[in-house]
Short mmCIF file of all heavy atoms in Angstrom, two decimals:
data_model
loop_
_atom_site.label_atom_id
_atom_site.label_comp_id
_atom_site.label_asym_id
_atom_site.label_seq_id
_atom_site.Cartn_x
_atom_site.Cartn_y
_atom_site.Cartn_z
N MET A 1 0.83 -1.18 0.00
CA MET A 1 0.00 -0.01 -0.01
C MET A 1 0.87 1.25 0.01
O MET A 1 0.59 2.21 -0.72
CB MET A 1 -0.91 -0.04 1.22
CG MET A 1 -1.85 1.10 1.31
SD MET A 1 -3.10 0.98 0.04
CE MET A 1 -4.15 2.29 0.47
N ALA A 2 1.92 1.24 0.83
CA ALA A 2 2.82 2.41 0.89
C ALA A 2 3.50 2.66 -0.45
O ALA A 2 3.60 3.81 -0.89
CB ALA A 2 3.84 2.21 1.99
N ARG A 3 3.94 1.58 -1.12
CA ARG A 3 4.58 1.75 -2.43
C ARG A 3 3.61 2.38 -3.43
O ARG A 3 3.99 3.23 -4.21
CB ARG A 3 5.07 0.42 -2.94
CG ARG A 3 6.32 -0.06 -2.29
CD ARG A 3 6.79 -1.32 -2.95
NE ARG A 3 8.14 -1.62 -2.51
CZ ARG A 3 8.84 -2.62 -2.95
NH1 ARG A 3 8.33 -3.43 -3.84
NH2 ARG A 3 10.05 -2.83 -2.50
N PHE A 4 2.37 1.91 -3.42
CA PHE A 4 1.39 2.45 -4.34
C PHE A 4 1.13 3.92 -4.09
O PHE A 4 1.13 4.74 -5.01
CB PHE A 4 0.06 1.67 -4.21
CG PHE A 4 -1.07 2.31 -4.94
CD1 PHE A 4 -1.16 2.22 -6.32
CD2 PHE A 4 -2.05 3.01 -4.26
CE1 PHE A 4 -2.21 2.80 -6.99
CE2 PHE A 4 -3.10 3.61 -4.93
CZ PHE A 4 -3.18 3.50 -6.31
N LEU A 5 0.96 4.32 -2.83
CA LEU A 5 0.71 5.70 -2.49
C LEU A 5 1.89 6.59 -2.84
O LEU A 5 1.72 7.69 -3.36
CB LEU A 5 0.35 5.83 -1.01
CG LEU A 5 -0.99 5.24 -0.62
CD1 LEU A 5 -1.19 5.31 0.89
CD2 LEU A 5 -2.12 5.96 -1.32
N ILE A 6 3.08 6.14 -2.54
CA ILE A 6 4.29 6.93 -2.89
C ILE A 6 4.38 7.12 -4.39
O ILE A 6 4.66 8.23 -4.89
CB ILE A 6 5.56 6.27 -2.33
CG1 ILE A 6 5.54 6.37 -0.79
CG2 ILE A 6 6.81 6.91 -2.91
CD1 ILE A 6 6.64 5.56 -0.13
N ARG A 7 4.14 6.05 -5.17
CA ARG A 7 4.21 6.14 -6.62
C ARG A 7 3.16 7.08 -7.17
O ARG A 7 3.42 7.90 -8.05
CB ARG A 7 4.08 4.75 -7.23
CG ARG A 7 4.33 4.75 -8.73
CD ARG A 7 4.15 3.37 -9.32
NE ARG A 7 2.73 3.03 -9.19
CZ ARG A 7 2.29 1.81 -8.89
NH1 ARG A 7 3.12 0.82 -8.68
NH2 ARG A 7 0.99 1.58 -8.80
N GLU A 8 1.94 6.98 -6.64
CA GLU A 8 0.84 7.81 -7.16
C GLU A 8 1.02 9.29 -6.82
O GLU A 8 0.75 10.16 -7.64
CB GLU A 8 -0.51 7.32 -6.63
CG GLU A 8 -0.95 6.01 -7.24
CD GLU A 8 -1.10 6.10 -8.75
OE1 GLU A 8 -1.72 7.08 -9.22
OE2 GLU A 8 -0.63 5.20 -9.44
N PHE A 9 1.43 9.57 -5.60
CA PHE A 9 1.53 10.97 -5.19
C PHE A 9 2.84 11.63 -5.59
O PHE A 9 2.98 12.85 -5.46
CB PHE A 9 1.31 11.08 -3.68
CG PHE A 9 -0.12 10.87 -3.30
CD1 PHE A 9 -0.50 9.77 -2.57
CD2 PHE A 9 -1.09 11.77 -3.69
CE1 PHE A 9 -1.81 9.57 -2.21
CE2 PHE A 9 -2.41 11.57 -3.34
CZ PHE A 9 -2.78 10.48 -2.60
N SER A 10 3.79 10.86 -6.07
CA SER A 10 5.05 11.47 -6.50
C SER A 10 5.17 11.49 -8.02
O SER A 10 6.20 11.82 -8.55
CB SER A 10 6.24 10.75 -5.89
OG SER A 10 6.28 9.41 -6.35
N ALA A 11 4.10 11.12 -8.73
CA ALA A 11 4.14 11.11 -10.19
C ALA A 11 4.23 12.53 -10.74
O ALA A 11 3.59 13.43 -10.26
CB ALA A 11 2.89 10.40 -10.72
N ARG A 12 5.06 12.68 -11.74
CA ARG A 12 5.21 13.98 -12.43
C ARG A 12 4.23 14.04 -13.57
O ARG A 12 3.94 13.05 -14.25
CB ARG A 12 6.64 14.13 -12.97
CG ARG A 12 7.69 13.98 -11.92
CD ARG A 12 7.74 15.24 -11.08
NE ARG A 12 8.82 15.13 -10.12
CZ ARG A 12 8.75 15.49 -8.87
NH1 ARG A 12 7.63 16.02 -8.42
NH2 ARG A 12 9.75 15.36 -8.07
N SER A 13 3.68 15.21 -13.82
CA SER A 13 2.74 15.37 -14.91
C SER A 13 3.48 15.83 -16.17
O SER A 13 4.45 16.57 -16.11
CB SER A 13 1.65 16.39 -14.54
OG SER A 13 2.24 17.60 -14.18
N GLY A 14 2.97 15.38 -17.30
CA GLY A 14 3.57 15.73 -18.57
C GLY A 14 3.07 17.06 -19.10
O GLY A 14 2.25 17.75 -18.44
N PRO A 15 3.49 17.42 -20.30
CA PRO A 15 3.07 18.72 -20.86
C PRO A 15 1.58 18.79 -21.20
O PRO A 15 1.01 19.85 -21.21
CB PRO A 15 3.92 18.86 -22.11
CG PRO A 15 4.42 17.51 -22.43
CD PRO A 15 4.43 16.73 -21.15
N GLY A 16 0.92 17.67 -21.44
CA GLY A 16 -0.49 17.69 -21.80
C GLY A 16 -1.41 17.52 -20.61
O GLY A 16 -2.64 17.44 -20.77
N ALA A 17 -0.87 17.45 -19.42
CA ALA A 17 -1.67 17.23 -18.22
C ALA A 17 -2.43 18.50 -17.85
O ALA A 17 -1.98 19.60 -18.15
CB ALA A 17 -0.76 16.79 -17.09
N PRO A 18 -3.55 18.33 -17.16
CA PRO A 18 -4.31 19.53 -16.72
C PRO A 18 -3.49 20.30 -15.67
O PRO A 18 -2.67 19.73 -14.96
CB PRO A 18 -5.59 18.95 -16.11
CG PRO A 18 -5.28 17.54 -15.80
CD PRO A 18 -4.22 17.09 -16.77
N PRO A 19 -3.73 21.61 -15.59
CA PRO A 19 -2.96 22.40 -14.62
C PRO A 19 -3.33 22.03 -13.20
O PRO A 19 -4.41 21.49 -12.92
CB PRO A 19 -3.38 23.84 -14.92
CG PRO A 19 -4.70 23.73 -15.60
CD PRO A 19 -4.66 22.41 -16.34
N ARG A 20 -2.43 22.33 -12.28
CA ARG A 20 -2.68 22.04 -10.86
C ARG A 20 -3.81 22.92 -10.36
O ARG A 20 -3.99 24.05 -10.81
CB ARG A 20 -1.42 22.33 -10.06
CG ARG A 20 -0.26 21.42 -10.47
CD ARG A 20 0.91 21.64 -9.61
NE ARG A 20 0.62 21.06 -8.29
CZ ARG A 20 1.41 21.14 -7.26
NH1 ARG A 20 2.52 21.81 -7.34
NH2 ARG A 20 1.06 20.59 -6.12
N PRO A 21 -4.61 22.41 -9.43
CA PRO A 21 -5.71 23.21 -8.93
C PRO A 21 -5.20 24.41 -8.13
O PRO A 21 -4.15 24.36 -7.49
CB PRO A 21 -6.47 22.23 -8.00
CG PRO A 21 -5.54 21.13 -7.73
CD PRO A 21 -4.55 21.07 -8.85
N THR A 22 -5.98 25.47 -8.17
CA THR A 22 -5.62 26.66 -7.41
C THR A 22 -6.16 26.56 -5.99
O THR A 22 -7.11 25.82 -5.75
CB THR A 22 -6.16 27.93 -8.08
OG1 THR A 22 -7.58 27.82 -8.16
CG2 THR A 22 -5.57 28.11 -9.47
N ARG A 23 -5.56 27.30 -5.10
CA ARG A 23 -5.99 27.27 -3.70
C ARG A 23 -7.32 28.01 -3.54
O ARG A 23 -7.52 29.09 -4.08
CB ARG A 23 -4.93 27.94 -2.85
CG ARG A 23 -5.15 27.78 -1.39
CD ARG A 23 -3.97 28.34 -0.62
NE ARG A 23 -3.88 27.63 0.64
CZ ARG A 23 -2.94 27.85 1.53
NH1 ARG A 23 -1.98 28.71 1.24
NH2 ARG A 23 -2.92 27.21 2.65
N TYR A 24 -8.23 27.39 -2.78
CA TYR A 24 -9.55 27.98 -2.54
C TYR A 24 -9.39 29.12 -1.55
O TYR A 24 -8.80 28.96 -0.49
CB TYR A 24 -10.50 26.92 -2.01
CG TYR A 24 -11.86 27.42 -1.67
CD1 TYR A 24 -12.76 27.78 -2.67
CD2 TYR A 24 -12.26 27.56 -0.35
CE1 TYR A 24 -14.01 28.23 -2.36
CE2 TYR A 24 -13.51 28.02 -0.02
CZ TYR A 24 -14.39 28.37 -1.05
OH TYR A 24 -15.63 28.83 -0.74
N VAL A 25 -9.95 30.27 -1.88
CA VAL A 25 -9.89 31.43 -0.98
C VAL A 25 -10.98 31.28 0.07
O VAL A 25 -12.18 31.23 -0.24
CB VAL A 25 -10.08 32.73 -1.79
CG1 VAL A 25 -10.03 33.93 -0.87
CG2 VAL A 25 -9.02 32.85 -2.86
N VAL A 26 -10.58 31.18 1.31
CA VAL A 26 -11.51 30.96 2.42
C VAL A 26 -11.85 32.29 3.05
O VAL A 26 -10.93 33.10 3.32
CB VAL A 26 -10.87 30.02 3.48
CG1 VAL A 26 -11.79 29.80 4.64
CG2 VAL A 26 -10.48 28.73 2.83
N PRO A 27 -13.13 32.58 3.29
CA PRO A 27 -13.51 33.81 3.95
C PRO A 27 -12.93 33.89 5.35
O PRO A 27 -12.66 32.89 6.01
CB PRO A 27 -15.03 33.77 4.00
CG PRO A 27 -15.43 32.77 3.01
CD PRO A 27 -14.30 31.79 2.88
N LEU A 28 -12.74 35.11 5.84
CA LEU A 28 -12.15 35.33 7.15
C LEU A 28 -12.99 34.71 8.26
O LEU A 28 -12.45 34.17 9.24
CB LEU A 28 -11.96 36.83 7.39
CG LEU A 28 -11.30 37.21 8.72
CD1 LEU A 28 -9.87 36.68 8.76
CD2 LEU A 28 -11.29 38.71 8.89
N GLY A 29 -14.30 34.75 8.13
CA GLY A 29 -15.20 34.16 9.13
C GLY A 29 -14.96 32.68 9.32
O GLY A 29 -15.04 32.14 10.42
N MET A 30 -14.65 31.97 8.23
CA MET A 30 -14.37 30.54 8.34
C MET A 30 -13.04 30.29 9.02
O MET A 30 -12.89 29.38 9.82
CB MET A 30 -14.39 29.88 6.97
CG MET A 30 -15.77 29.80 6.36
SD MET A 30 -15.76 29.12 4.70
CE MET A 30 -15.36 27.43 5.00
N ARG A 31 -12.07 31.13 8.73
CA ARG A 31 -10.75 30.97 9.38
C ARG A 31 -10.84 31.26 10.87
O ARG A 31 -10.27 30.54 11.69
CB ARG A 31 -9.73 31.91 8.74
CG ARG A 31 -9.31 31.49 7.38
CD ARG A 31 -8.22 32.37 6.85
NE ARG A 31 -7.92 32.01 5.48
CZ ARG A 31 -6.98 32.57 4.78
NH1 ARG A 31 -6.24 33.52 5.30
NH2 ARG A 31 -6.76 32.18 3.54
N LEU A 32 -11.55 32.32 11.22
CA LEU A 32 -11.68 32.67 12.64
C LEU A 32 -12.42 31.61 13.44
O LEU A 32 -12.04 31.30 14.57
CB LEU A 32 -12.36 34.02 12.80
CG LEU A 32 -11.55 35.24 12.36
CD1 LEU A 32 -12.37 36.51 12.53
CD2 LEU A 32 -10.27 35.34 13.13
N SER A 33 -13.47 31.04 12.87
CA SER A 33 -14.21 30.00 13.59
C SER A 33 -13.34 28.77 13.78
O SER A 33 -13.39 28.14 14.84
CB SER A 33 -15.50 29.64 12.86
OG SER A 33 -15.20 29.14 11.58
N PHE A 34 -12.52 28.43 12.81
CA PHE A 34 -11.63 27.29 12.95
C PHE A 34 -10.60 27.55 14.04
O PHE A 34 -10.36 26.67 14.89
CB PHE A 34 -10.93 27.03 11.59
CG PHE A 34 -10.07 25.81 11.59
CD1 PHE A 34 -10.64 24.56 11.59
CD2 PHE A 34 -8.70 25.93 11.60
CE1 PHE A 34 -9.84 23.43 11.58
CE2 PHE A 34 -7.90 24.81 11.60
CZ PHE A 34 -8.47 23.55 11.59
N VAL A 35 -10.02 28.73 14.07
CA VAL A 35 -9.05 29.07 15.10
C VAL A 35 -9.72 29.07 16.46
O VAL A 35 -9.14 28.57 17.45
CB VAL A 35 -8.40 30.44 14.79
CG1 VAL A 35 -7.56 30.93 15.96
CG2 VAL A 35 -7.54 30.34 13.53
N LEU A 36 -10.92 29.59 16.56
CA LEU A 36 -11.66 29.60 17.83
C LEU A 36 -11.90 28.17 18.34
O LEU A 36 -11.74 27.90 19.53
CB LEU A 36 -12.97 30.35 17.67
CG LEU A 36 -13.84 30.45 18.92
CD1 LEU A 36 -13.12 31.28 19.99
CD2 LEU A 36 -15.17 31.06 18.59
N LEU A 37 -12.29 27.27 17.45
CA LEU A 37 -12.50 25.90 17.87
C LEU A 37 -11.20 25.24 18.35
O LEU A 37 -11.21 24.48 19.35
CB LEU A 37 -13.07 25.07 16.71
CG LEU A 37 -14.55 25.35 16.39
CD1 LEU A 37 -14.95 24.59 15.13
CD2 LEU A 37 -15.42 24.94 17.55
N ILE A 38 -10.09 25.50 17.68
CA ILE A 38 -8.80 24.98 18.13
C ILE A 38 -8.46 25.50 19.53
O ILE A 38 -7.99 24.75 20.40
CB ILE A 38 -7.69 25.32 17.13
CG1 ILE A 38 -7.98 24.70 15.78
CG2 ILE A 38 -6.32 24.95 17.65
CD1 ILE A 38 -7.72 23.22 15.68
N VAL A 39 -8.69 26.78 19.75
CA VAL A 39 -8.41 27.37 21.08
C VAL A 39 -9.30 26.75 22.14
O VAL A 39 -8.85 26.42 23.24
CB VAL A 39 -8.58 28.90 21.01
CG1 VAL A 39 -8.55 29.52 22.39
CG2 VAL A 39 -7.49 29.52 20.15
N ILE A 40 -10.58 26.58 21.85
CA ILE A 40 -11.50 25.98 22.83
C ILE A 40 -11.06 24.55 23.17
O ILE A 40 -11.07 24.14 24.34
CB ILE A 40 -12.94 26.00 22.29
CG1 ILE A 40 -13.47 27.43 22.28
CG2 ILE A 40 -13.86 25.09 23.11
CD1 ILE A 40 -14.79 27.57 21.58
N ILE A 41 -10.69 23.77 22.17
CA ILE A 41 -10.24 22.41 22.42
C ILE A 41 -8.96 22.42 23.27
O ILE A 41 -8.84 21.60 24.22
CB ILE A 41 -9.99 21.67 21.08
CG1 ILE A 41 -11.35 21.41 20.42
CG2 ILE A 41 -9.24 20.37 21.28
CD1 ILE A 41 -11.24 20.91 18.98
N ALA A 42 -8.03 23.31 22.99
CA ALA A 42 -6.79 23.37 23.77
C ALA A 42 -7.08 23.79 25.21
O ALA A 42 -6.52 23.18 26.15
CB ALA A 42 -5.82 24.36 23.11
N VAL A 43 -7.95 24.75 25.42
CA VAL A 43 -8.27 25.20 26.78
C VAL A 43 -8.96 24.07 27.55
O VAL A 43 -8.63 23.82 28.71
CB VAL A 43 -9.14 26.48 26.73
CG1 VAL A 43 -9.72 26.78 28.09
CG2 VAL A 43 -8.30 27.67 26.26
N GLN A 44 -9.92 23.41 26.93
CA GLN A 44 -10.61 22.31 27.61
C GLN A 44 -9.68 21.15 27.91
O GLN A 44 -9.88 20.43 28.87
CB GLN A 44 -11.80 21.82 26.77
CG GLN A 44 -12.98 22.74 26.82
CD GLN A 44 -13.57 22.79 28.22
OE1 GLN A 44 -13.82 21.79 28.85
NE2 GLN A 44 -13.79 24.00 28.70
N GLY A 45 -8.65 20.97 27.10
CA GLY A 45 -7.71 19.90 27.35
C GLY A 45 -6.70 20.22 28.45
O GLY A 45 -6.14 19.33 29.08
N LEU A 46 -6.49 21.50 28.73
CA LEU A 46 -5.50 21.90 29.72
C LEU A 46 -6.10 22.37 31.03
O LEU A 46 -5.41 22.34 32.07
CB LEU A 46 -4.63 23.03 29.14
CG LEU A 46 -3.82 22.69 27.89
CD1 LEU A 46 -3.14 23.92 27.34
CD2 LEU A 46 -2.81 21.61 28.19
N TRP A 47 -7.33 22.80 31.04
CA TRP A 47 -7.93 23.38 32.25
C TRP A 47 -9.24 22.68 32.56
O TRP A 47 -10.13 22.58 31.70
CB TRP A 47 -8.18 24.86 32.02
CG TRP A 47 -8.90 25.52 33.15
CD1 TRP A 47 -8.45 25.73 34.41
CD2 TRP A 47 -10.22 26.08 33.10
NE1 TRP A 47 -9.40 26.37 35.16
CE2 TRP A 47 -10.51 26.60 34.38
CE3 TRP A 47 -11.17 26.18 32.13
CZ2 TRP A 47 -11.71 27.20 34.68
CZ3 TRP A 47 -12.38 26.78 32.42
CH2 TRP A 47 -12.62 27.28 33.69
N PHE A 48 -9.36 22.17 33.78
CA PHE A 48 -10.58 21.50 34.21
C PHE A 48 -11.25 22.35 35.28
O PHE A 48 -10.71 22.58 36.33
CB PHE A 48 -10.28 20.14 34.82
CG PHE A 48 -9.86 19.11 33.81
CD1 PHE A 48 -8.53 18.71 33.70
CD2 PHE A 48 -10.77 18.55 32.95
CE1 PHE A 48 -8.15 17.78 32.79
CE2 PHE A 48 -10.39 17.59 32.02
CZ PHE A 48 -9.07 17.20 31.95
N PRO A 49 -12.49 22.80 35.02
CA PRO A 49 -13.22 23.52 36.07
C PRO A 49 -13.52 22.57 37.24
O PRO A 49 -13.55 21.35 37.09
CB PRO A 49 -14.52 23.96 35.38
CG PRO A 49 -14.29 23.78 33.92
CD PRO A 49 -13.22 22.78 33.77
N ALA A 50 -13.79 23.13 38.40
CA ALA A 50 -14.03 22.33 39.60
C ALA A 50 -15.24 21.41 39.41
O ALA A 50 -15.21 20.26 39.87
CB ALA A 50 -14.25 23.25 40.78
N GLU A 51 -16.28 21.90 38.75
CA GLU A 51 -17.47 21.07 38.54
C GLU A 51 -17.15 19.86 37.68
O GLU A 51 -17.63 18.75 37.92
CB GLU A 51 -18.58 21.87 37.88
CG GLU A 51 -19.11 23.02 38.71
CD GLU A 51 -18.27 24.28 38.57
OE1 GLU A 51 -17.46 24.37 37.63
OE2 GLU A 51 -18.42 25.16 39.41
N GLU A 52 -16.32 20.06 36.67
CA GLU A 52 -15.97 18.97 35.78
C GLU A 52 -15.12 17.94 36.50
O GLU A 52 -15.33 16.72 36.33
CB GLU A 52 -15.19 19.53 34.58
CG GLU A 52 -14.95 18.51 33.48
CD GLU A 52 -14.31 19.12 32.26
OE1 GLU A 52 -14.22 20.36 32.17
OE2 GLU A 52 -13.90 18.36 31.40
N VAL A 53 -14.22 18.38 37.38
CA VAL A 53 -13.41 17.45 38.16
C VAL A 53 -14.28 16.64 39.09
O VAL A 53 -14.11 15.41 39.22
CB VAL A 53 -12.33 18.22 38.95
CG1 VAL A 53 -11.61 17.30 39.92
CG2 VAL A 53 -11.35 18.86 38.01
N SER A 54 -15.28 17.25 39.73
CA SER A 54 -16.16 16.51 40.63
C SER A 54 -17.01 15.49 39.87
O SER A 54 -17.24 14.38 40.35
CB SER A 54 -17.05 17.46 41.43
OG SER A 54 -17.96 18.09 40.59
N VAL A 55 -17.48 15.85 38.68
CA VAL A 55 -18.26 14.91 37.87
C VAL A 55 -17.41 13.71 37.47
O VAL A 55 -17.83 12.56 37.57
CB VAL A 55 -18.86 15.61 36.64
CG1 VAL A 55 -19.42 14.60 35.65
CG2 VAL A 55 -19.91 16.60 37.04
N ILE A 56 -16.20 13.98 37.01
CA ILE A 56 -15.30 12.90 36.60
C ILE A 56 -14.96 12.01 37.80
O ILE A 56 -14.92 10.79 37.70
CB ILE A 56 -14.04 13.46 35.92
CG1 ILE A 56 -14.42 14.10 34.59
CG2 ILE A 56 -12.98 12.37 35.72
CD1 ILE A 56 -13.30 14.83 33.89
N THR A 57 -14.70 12.63 38.96
CA THR A 57 -14.42 11.85 40.17
C THR A 57 -15.59 10.97 40.56
O THR A 57 -15.41 9.82 40.94
CB THR A 57 -14.05 12.81 41.33
OG1 THR A 57 -12.99 13.65 40.91
CG2 THR A 57 -13.66 12.06 42.55
N ASP A 58 -16.80 11.50 40.47
CA ASP A 58 -18.00 10.71 40.78
C ASP A 58 -18.15 9.53 39.81
O ASP A 58 -18.50 8.43 40.21
CB ASP A 58 -19.25 11.57 40.76
CG ASP A 58 -19.29 12.57 41.90
OD1 ASP A 58 -18.56 12.37 42.89
OD2 ASP A 58 -20.05 13.55 41.78
N ILE A 59 -17.92 9.79 38.56
CA ILE A 59 -18.02 8.70 37.54
C ILE A 59 -17.03 7.60 37.82
O ILE A 59 -17.35 6.40 37.81
CB ILE A 59 -17.86 9.28 36.12
CG1 ILE A 59 -19.05 10.15 35.75
CG2 ILE A 59 -17.70 8.15 35.10
CD1 ILE A 59 -18.89 10.91 34.46
N VAL A 60 -15.76 7.99 38.12
CA VAL A 60 -14.73 7.01 38.41
C VAL A 60 -15.07 6.24 39.68
O VAL A 60 -14.90 5.03 39.74
CB VAL A 60 -13.36 7.72 38.52
CG1 VAL A 60 -12.31 6.77 39.07
CG2 VAL A 60 -12.93 8.25 37.17
N ALA A 61 -15.61 6.91 40.69
CA ALA A 61 -15.96 6.26 41.93
C ALA A 61 -17.11 5.24 41.70
O ALA A 61 -17.08 4.13 42.24
CB ALA A 61 -16.36 7.26 42.99
N GLU A 62 -18.10 5.63 40.87
CA GLU A 62 -19.22 4.72 40.59
C GLU A 62 -18.79 3.50 39.79
O GLU A 62 -19.32 2.42 39.93
CB GLU A 62 -20.31 5.45 39.86
CG GLU A 62 -21.10 6.41 40.74
CD GLU A 62 -22.23 7.10 40.00
OE1 GLU A 62 -22.60 6.61 38.89
OE2 GLU A 62 -22.73 8.11 40.50
N LEU A 63 -17.77 3.70 38.95
CA LEU A 63 -17.28 2.54 38.17
C LEU A 63 -16.36 1.64 39.00
O LEU A 63 -16.11 0.52 38.60
CB LEU A 63 -16.52 3.05 36.93
CG LEU A 63 -17.39 3.73 35.87
CD1 LEU A 63 -16.49 4.31 34.77
CD2 LEU A 63 -18.37 2.73 35.29
N GLY A 64 -15.88 2.14 40.14
CA GLY A 64 -15.04 1.34 40.98
C GLY A 64 -13.56 1.36 40.61
O GLY A 64 -12.80 0.47 41.03
N PHE A 65 -13.14 2.34 39.87
CA PHE A 65 -11.73 2.46 39.49
C PHE A 65 -11.02 3.46 40.38
O PHE A 65 -11.63 4.36 40.94
CB PHE A 65 -11.59 2.93 38.04
CG PHE A 65 -12.13 1.96 37.03
CD1 PHE A 65 -13.18 2.34 36.19
CD2 PHE A 65 -11.63 0.70 36.91
CE1 PHE A 65 -13.68 1.46 35.26
CE2 PHE A 65 -12.13 -0.21 35.99
CZ PHE A 65 -13.17 0.20 35.17
N GLY A 66 -9.72 3.35 40.49
CA GLY A 66 -8.92 4.34 41.17
C GLY A 66 -8.88 4.23 42.67
O GLY A 66 -8.30 5.08 43.34
N GLY A 67 -9.47 3.24 43.26
CA GLY A 67 -9.42 3.07 44.68
C GLY A 67 -10.17 4.11 45.48
O GLY A 67 -9.86 4.38 46.63
N VAL A 68 -11.14 4.76 44.85
CA VAL A 68 -11.90 5.79 45.54
C VAL A 68 -13.08 5.17 46.24
O VAL A 68 -13.75 4.31 45.76
CB VAL A 68 -12.38 6.88 44.55
CG1 VAL A 68 -13.21 7.93 45.24
CG2 VAL A 68 -11.19 7.49 43.86
#
């Protein structure tokens, strides 16, 4: 599979080949929403509010893991 993918994606086009596609111009609103989602995911991954910690602790305790 790797050999096939390398061969297909590294193929050179000849003089009669269609031109390469141009980059799609993305509106600023789409870029900002994407960046905002990345920031939200990073913040949620690094910071746990007290309520979230208590919910997770309760779930772990009910499942019987962690010696709680």
Side-chain angles (χ1 to χ4, degrees):
M1 182 70 174
R3 284 185 168 183
F4 170 75
L5 290 175
I6 290 171
R7 187 182 66 219
E8 288 300 314
F9 287 113
S10 63
R12 304 284 183 221
S13 57
R20 297 184 73 185
T22 59
R23 189 174 207 178
Y24 178 72
V25 179
V26 179
L28 183 62
M30 289 177 71
R31 288 185 185 183
L32 288 178
S33 62
F34 184 73
V35 171
L36 180 64
L37 286 174
I38 297 286
V39 169
I40 289 172
I41 290 170
V43 167
Q44 284 295 311
L46 298 174
W47 174 67
F48 288 106
E51 296 84 15
E52 189 174 350
V53 171
S54 67
V55 168
I56 292 173
T57 305
D58 292 341
I59 291 171
V60 170
E62 287 183 16
L63 291 174
F65 296 119
V68 179

